[in-house]
Structure formats: structure tokens, C-alpha cells
């Protein structure tokens, strides 16, 4: 149900800002609805009775350094607009925290479904589920094929030393969210640091690519790729490995993702094979990337668990997320030991 002022969004202040920056854009009283809260950025559908937009802002509390960067999301979405990668057109970016208490950006509303749960795909049937999963992989290959220099993103990241920095960064994120003992997580962190592979040719990396960060249209194709807060220039295999971590994680449940358990969803090996065929990337070091993906996902979920323990999440299901962290760490250590 739409609200006059959902948590984290003052519609009067937003209306005043939009009227000043985009005169004539809004034609009626604004109403809004929180559609995603606390797992990453807060996401709202905002409408004036005639048009709809989407607004993204950081969580209400415990914002880690370099995380939840509205400017990065707005920059990469704007740059990808003319490419084959489907993204929503952007409306504006606001860095002035006096408006809503945090930076935010507004983009057009795109019709589509972000599939997170097994039952959502079950309702579509095996064939449509397979087509959606294949479209997900093909869109990722299209992203990694974009010439980032030609779209104005040459300075969007530093590909040199990317993997080493990633391990350090997520180690720091872990330290910033550490509130309990997690068996094996420091061992996994040390193993990843000691076994860094040679990086792939750099590409635009999404950083959190999974099915429920995509909007799937009625034609079962990808209508838009969303949630670019972790995007940068770096090693593209980190994207496919994280996708595998999400789809392999049966223990994650509906709170994170259970789509991989739906009938017709391709097995992991088929997803990787399709990505290899469409992208032409060398996956011989995939074990390291998978180990890192399980580590990164564990740290992300531990950060959510930490915010929940402080009472700073908005929405339901957060009380169960912390239980997924230890199994992910164990899987990360196991994949490195098997290699």
C-alpha cells in the first residue's frame, strides 16, 4: 500500500527538490511504497497518479565506507543507457543529504519481475524458467563485452590489482561488521589472499549479479539490470562466480534466493558453460573465484545480520539471514580444498 511518508523518505522534501531540479516532472501529489528494505539500499516506487519512478537511497544505519554509493549507481546506469545492457533511464542524482538525510537518485520505473523464490518460477513452468536463466547469463556476457572506455567509464575503477583489493575490502567489511565468532572465516580470508590468480581482461563488473537484481519482462527477457551499488571495473569472473554462489546456496532460502531449486533451472555447470561460450572467458581458475564469491556473500549477509542485531533494518526475514553465513564459509573453504 502506498504511503505518504514511508521510512527513510520525506515526500514533501522530495517534491520540492524535484520541482526545483526537474520543473514539470511531477504533476500531482506524491505517494510512495518501500519495495526493498535493508538488504542493501532502500528502494521505493514513487508516483504522482500519472507517472511512476524508482528512488534509491542507502540503508538507515550502519553504512560501511565505500558501500551504498549512490553516485556509482547513477554513473554506471547512465553510461550503459546506449548499450545492449538493459538499464532504466536515470532522472537525477542528489548528493545533498539535507533533502532526505542521505544521497539518493531517481530513475524511471520499468515493468518486470525480480524472481527470488522457487515458487515464483514454478508457476511459470520448466521451459520458461530455463529461458529466464539463460537470458540472465546472456545479459551478463553482454555487460562484460561493453567497451567501458567508449561509454565514458575509463575512470570508473582501477582494474590493476583488483582481486587483491577485493579480498582486502571484504576483509575490512567483515571486521567492521564482526559481532560474533564465525568458524573458518579467517582461514578462508587467508587462503584467498595467498592464492590470488592472474586477473582476466577487465570489464564492467556488476558486483552483485543475480536473478532478483534483474527485472524480467513478460517475454521472459531481461527488461532491466538493477542494484549497481557494487559496480566497478575489474575481473568479470567475480560476477559469474558470485552468481553461482547464489544459485548453489540451497541453504539461503527465500530470504536471499531459492530460484536455483525451481524445476527447469539449469545446473551450475550449464550456467558456467553458457557463460564461457558467450563470453569467451578462460575459467581455469574458477575454484578461486568461487571461494572468493562464498566469502563475499558471507560478509554481505553478516553485515545484514549485524544491522538487524542493531535494529536498523526495515522489512521482514532478517532474523534468519545470519544462519546462512557459516554454511557459506564452509562451502568456500571446501571449494578451495577441492581444487
Amino acid at each position: 500500500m502506498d504511503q505518504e511518508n514511508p521510512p527513510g523518505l520525506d515526500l514533501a522534501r522530495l517534491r520540492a527538490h524535484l520541482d526545483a531540479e526537474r520543473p514539470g516532472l511531477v504533476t500531482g501529489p506524491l505517494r510512495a511504497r518501500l519495495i526493498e528494505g535493508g538488504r542493501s539500499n532502500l528502494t521505493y516506487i514513487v508516483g504522482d497518479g500519472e507517472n511512476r519512478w524508482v528512488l534509491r537511497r542507502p540503508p538507515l544505519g550502519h553504512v560501511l565506507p565505500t558501500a551504498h554509493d549512490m553516485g556509482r549507481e547513477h554513473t554506471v546506469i547512465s553510461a550503459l543507457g546506449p548499450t545492449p545492457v538493459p538499464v532504466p533511464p536515470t532522472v537525477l542524482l542528489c548528493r545533498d543529504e539535507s533533502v532526505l538525510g542521505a544521497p539518493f537518485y531517481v530513475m524511471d520505473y520499468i515493468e518486470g519481475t525480480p524472481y527470488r523464490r522457487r515458487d515464483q518460477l514454478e508457476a511459470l513452468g520448466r521451459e520458461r524458467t530455463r529461458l529466464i536463466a539463460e537470458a540472465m547469463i546472456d545479459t551478463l556476457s553482454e555487460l562484460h563485452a561493453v567497451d567501458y572506455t567508449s561509454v565514458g567509464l575509463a575512470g570508473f575503477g582501477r582494474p590493476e590489482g583488483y582481486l587483491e583489493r577485493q579480498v582486502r575490502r571484504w576483509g575490512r567489511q567483515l571486521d567492521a561488521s564482526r559481532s560474533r565468532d564465525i568458524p573458518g572465516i579467517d582461514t578462508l580470508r587467508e587462503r584467498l589472499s595467498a592464492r590470488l590468480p592472474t586477473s582476466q581482461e577487465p570489464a564492467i563488473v556488476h558486483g552483485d549479479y543475480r536473478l532478483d537484481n534483474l527485472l524480467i519482462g513478460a517475454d521472459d527477457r531481461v527488461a532491466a539490470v538493477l542494484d549497481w551499488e557494487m559496480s566497478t571495473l575489474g575481473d568479470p569472473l567475480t560476477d559469474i562466480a558470485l552468481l553461482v554462489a547464489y544459485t548453489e546456496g540451497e541453504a539461503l532460502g527465500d530470504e536471499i534466493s531459492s530460484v536455483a531449486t525451481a524445476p527447469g533451472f539449469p545446473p551450475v555447470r550449464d550456467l558456467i558453460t553458457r557463460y564461457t561460450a558467450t563470453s569467451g572467458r578462460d575459467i581455469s581458475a574458477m575454484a578461486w573465484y568461487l571461494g572468493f564469491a562464498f566469502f563475499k556473500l558471507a560478509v554481505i549477509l553478516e553485515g545484514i545480520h549485524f544491522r538487524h542485531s542493531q535494529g536498523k533494518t526495515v522489512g521482514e526475514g532478517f532474523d534468519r539471514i545470519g544462519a546462512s553465513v557459516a554454511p557459506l564459509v564452509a562451502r568456500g573453504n571446501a571449494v578451495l580444498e577441492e581444487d
Side-chain angles (χ1 to χ4, degrees):
M1 180 181 295
D2 288 354
Q3 298 176 304
E4 291 186 2
N5 283 300
L9 184 57
D10 185 318
L11 290 177
R13 287 180 174 273
L14 175 62
R15 174 66 189 267
H17 184 73
L18 290 175
D19 286 347
E21 297 295 324
R22 295 289 186 274
L25 177 72
V26 180
T27 59
L30 289 179
R31 302 279 290 181
R33 174 165 52 94
L34 177 69
I35 58 173
E36 183 65 37
R39 286 184 176 84
S40 55
N41 290 317
L42 302 183
T43 305
Y44 310 81
I45 295 177
V46 180
D48 63 0
E50 192 170 314
N51 301 292
R52 285 187 291 179
W53 303 274
V54 171
L55 183 146
R56 296 261 290 168
R57 58 149 292 165
L60 299 181
H62 189 62
V63 178
L64 296 173
T66 77
H68 314 293
D69 188 335
M70 297 295 95
R72 293 196 71 78
E73 287 202 45
H74 183 269
T75 295
V76 70
I77 293 173
S78 299
L80 288 171
T83 76
V85 181
V87 290
T90 52
V91 176
L92 61 77
L93 168 69
C94 176
R95 299 183 186 275
D96 182 358
E97 297 189 13
S98 69
V99 178
L100 295 182
F104 67 92
Y105 73 95
V106 179
M107 57 187 167
D108 285 356
Y109 175 83
I110 302 293
E111 289 283 355
T113 302
Y115 292 102
R116 172 176 289 169
R117 305 187 315 273
R118 171 192 173 104
D119 65 291
Q120 290 177 291
L121 292 180
E122 275 185 312
L124 304 181
R126 300 180 66 93
E127 180 61 17
R128 290 185 65 189
T129 294
R130 180 184 63 81
L131 290 174
I132 288 170
E134 290 176 352
M136 171 183 68
I137 294 295
D138 295 348
T139 298
L140 183 60
S141 293
E142 286 182 335
L143 170 63
H144 293 163
V146 170
D147 181 343
Y148 57 82
T149 301
S150 70
V151 296
L153 292 177
F156 192 60
R158 293 180 294 128
E160 302 79 11
Y162 172 76
L163 295 180
E164 181 182 6
R165 289 197 309 276
Q166 280 288 292
V167 174
R168 287 203 312 268
R169 174 192 174 183
W170 289 102
R172 289 195 299 269
Q173 303 286 59
L174 170 65
D175 293 339
S177 300
R178 196 186 288 266
S179 62
R180 57 180 180 160
D181 180 53
I182 305 169
I185 198 164
D186 291 314
T187 298
L188 179 55
R189 180 181 182 176
E190 291 163 6
R191 284 172 166 168
L192 292 168
S193 296
R195 297 172 56 179
L196 287 168
T198 301
S199 286
Q200 294 274 308
E201 182 179 345
I204 301 170
V205 172
H206 181 277
D208 197 21
Y209 193 85
R210 62 183 194 266
L211 190 54
D212 64 308
N213 275 341
L214 312 179
L215 292 178
I216 304 298
D219 59 358
D220 295 333
R221 300 178 66 84
V222 179
V225 182
L226 306 176
D227 292 11
W228 293 87
E229 65 188 88
M230 297 181 188
S231 59
T232 189
L233 303 182
D235 191 323
L237 292 193
T238 55
D239 270 344
I240 184 65
L242 186 61
L243 177 59
V244 168
Y246 277 116
T247 56
E248 266 199 355
E250 291 189 12
L252 297 179
D254 289 347
E255 291 80 27
I256 305 301
S257 179
S258 58
V259 293
T261 64
F265 198 95
V268 164
R269 65 179 180 276
D270 289 358
L271 297 178
I272 294 176
T273 297
R274 188 175 185 93
Y275 175 79
T276 305
T278 54
S279 70
R281 300 279 176 175
D282 175 11
I283 62 165
S284 58
M286 183 56 73
W288 185 92
Y289 291 92
L290 289 173
F292 172 66
F294 285 113
F295 175 69
K296 176 178 173 179
L297 182 52
V299 174
I300 291 172
L301 298 189
E302 186 64 14
I304 296 170
H305 168 77
F306 183 78
R307 289 201 300 275
H308 174 71
S309 69
Q310 293 185 317
K312 293 179 178 176
T313 50
V314 178
E316 299 179 356
F318 298 107
D319 56 327
R320 297 184 291 274
I321 283 177
S324 298
V325 175
L328 289 169
V329 172
R331 185 70 183 95
N333 277 310
V335 77
L336 291 180
E337 289 167 2
E338 293 165 4
D339 182 36

